[in-house]
Amino acid sequence: MGRPLVFEILDKPATSCFIGICSAIWFYIQKKNIGYSHVGLSYETAVAGHHWRIITSAFSHISIIHLVFNMSALWSLGVVEKLGPIGLGVEYYLQYTLVLVVLSGVLVLGIYHLLIQKFKIEYFRRVTAVGYSCVVFGWMTILSVKQPTSKLHLFGFLSLPISFAPFESLIFTSIIVPQASFIGHLSGIIVGYAIAWGLIHGMNNYWAVSMLGWIVLVTVFSLKRSSAYDFSFLEIEPVTDSSLPAVRFIASGHGRTLQMNALPASGVELV
């Protein structure tokens, strides 16, 4: 007889939180009837300044099957949190999950850019990606390098050797689910190998908190600039040099403002 679920949750606190967040977002999306085009990441929307979609796309799922597959794999990969003795553990898991979310999304956009600009494949201009698969495939890859004897358990009955799981899952999902993002999954694998082989390293709590702060800042400003969400306390307006925007925080009843130099609007549009 297996251990009670509550003890498993306590053993995998970070994994449990991410599963809870993804499930709550899926429920909200279903309740509000939000489509993937409203939260997903595409080259076209990124060029338009919707950089916040790198984050929203990662935690959003439209199909219940997609959610269950990703969360089932993520639950199995939560074993990383228990591997502190080999240099992994909860802090490592949280720090590099942040890296996987951001770099996988950026890499997807980079590959789209190459396919569109170099190979003139316009199809990828509007392809919209959603789901936590980039992170799931990234952790599959890291675990396959760090703990190759582990197993990946899916749906409680399917077991795969972790050493082959990234590419087995890549091929399996591409065949069984034609609309699955091959480029998104591959991006997770590439970033995963970069982390596992030490090409991306040095993350600690200081850099993780700093990175999180920048993510929040960029997300808020891109939401405001793209008019996706109206932050009433925040205005972006031109200063004396019209090529430089200013940021003004409005305090009710006071005339105080805070201005900051930033990149020209045209630069953000062309990222």
Side-chain angles (χ1 to χ4, degrees):
M1 187 174 178
R3 298 177 68 202
L5 180 60
V6 65
F7 292 115
E8 291 288 341
I9 291 173
L10 291 174
D11 279 346
K12 306 174 183 178
T15 302
S16 301
C17 285
F18 285 127
I19 290 174
I21 290 169
C22 288
S23 300
I25 291 173
W26 174 83
F27 180 79
Y28 181 81
I29 285 173
Q30 298 303 310
K31 185 177 181 180
K32 297 295 183 179
N33 198 29
I34 298 172
Y36 67 88
S37 61
H38 295 97
V39 294
L41 177 67
S42 70
Y43 182 82
E44 193 171 60
T45 54
V47 169
H50 294 214
H51 306 124
W52 51 269
R53 289 175 180 264
I54 290 177
I55 306 302
T56 60
S57 64
F59 292 94
S60 301
H61 297 79
I62 305 303
S63 161
I64 183 62
I65 295 175
H66 188 200
L67 175 71
V68 170
F69 178 85
N70 278 350
M71 296 305 102
S72 174
L74 185 63
W75 179 256
S76 179
L77 293 166
V79 70
V80 169
E81 295 187 62
K82 305 176 184 180
L83 298 177
I86 65 168
L88 303 181
V90 178
E91 288 188 4
Y92 183 95
Y93 182 80
L94 289 170
Q95 292 160 3
Y96 284 98
T97 289
L98 198 60
V99 173
L100 282 166
V101 169
V102 175
L103 292 192
S104 295
V106 171
L107 183 56
V108 166
L109 292 175
I111 294 173
Y112 285 169
H113 180 80
L114 181 65
L115 292 171
I116 294 166
Q117 302 298 331
K118 182 70 174 177
F119 298 98
K120 310 301 180 185
I121 307 176
E122 290 295 315
Y123 166 77
F124 289 102
R125 188 176 293 277
R126 292 183 176 85
V127 170
T128 303
V130 291
Y132 205 66
S133 302
C134 285
V135 179
V136 169
F137 275 79
W139 279 118
M140 276 188 208
T141 305
I142 294 169
L143 201 56
S144 72
V145 174
K146 300 284 190 180
Q147 190 80 351
T149 57
S150 297
K151 297 274 189 180
L152 177 67
H153 302 283
L154 297 174
F155 310 114
F157 63 88
L158 182 61
S159 180
L160 298 173
I162 196 66
S163 55
F164 300 109
F167 292 102
E168 285 179 344
S169 299
L170 180 66
I171 296 170
F172 175 77
T173 54
S174 298
I175 294 173
I176 302 301
V177 187
Q179 67 269 32
S181 175
F182 181 87
I183 291 176
H185 297 170
L186 183 61
S187 296
I189 291 174
I190 292 171
V191 176
Y193 274 123
I195 293 171
W197 291 340
L199 302 177
I200 299 172
H201 64 280
M203 280 294 287
N204 53 36
N205 288 337
Y206 171 79
W207 288 114
V209 171
S210 299
M211 187 176 181
L212 183 61
W214 278 107
I215 289 170
V216 171
L217 190 64
V218 171
T219 297
V220 169
F221 277 91
S222 62
L223 278 167
K224 178 69 175 182
R225 178 166 294 218
S226 63
S227 301
Y229 190 86
D230 182 26
F231 293 96
S232 58
F233 63 88
L234 177 65
E235 287 187 3
I236 301 176
E237 61 179 17
V239 289
T240 305
D241 184 346
S242 61
S243 68
L244 297 173
V247 178
R248 184 173 67 182
F249 293 91
I250 302 174
S252 179
H254 303 278
R256 294 174 296 182
T257 63
L258 171 64
Q259 291 189 331
M260 299 169 56
N261 288 343
L263 289 174
S266 59
V268 176
E269 296 272 320
L270 297 176
V271 169

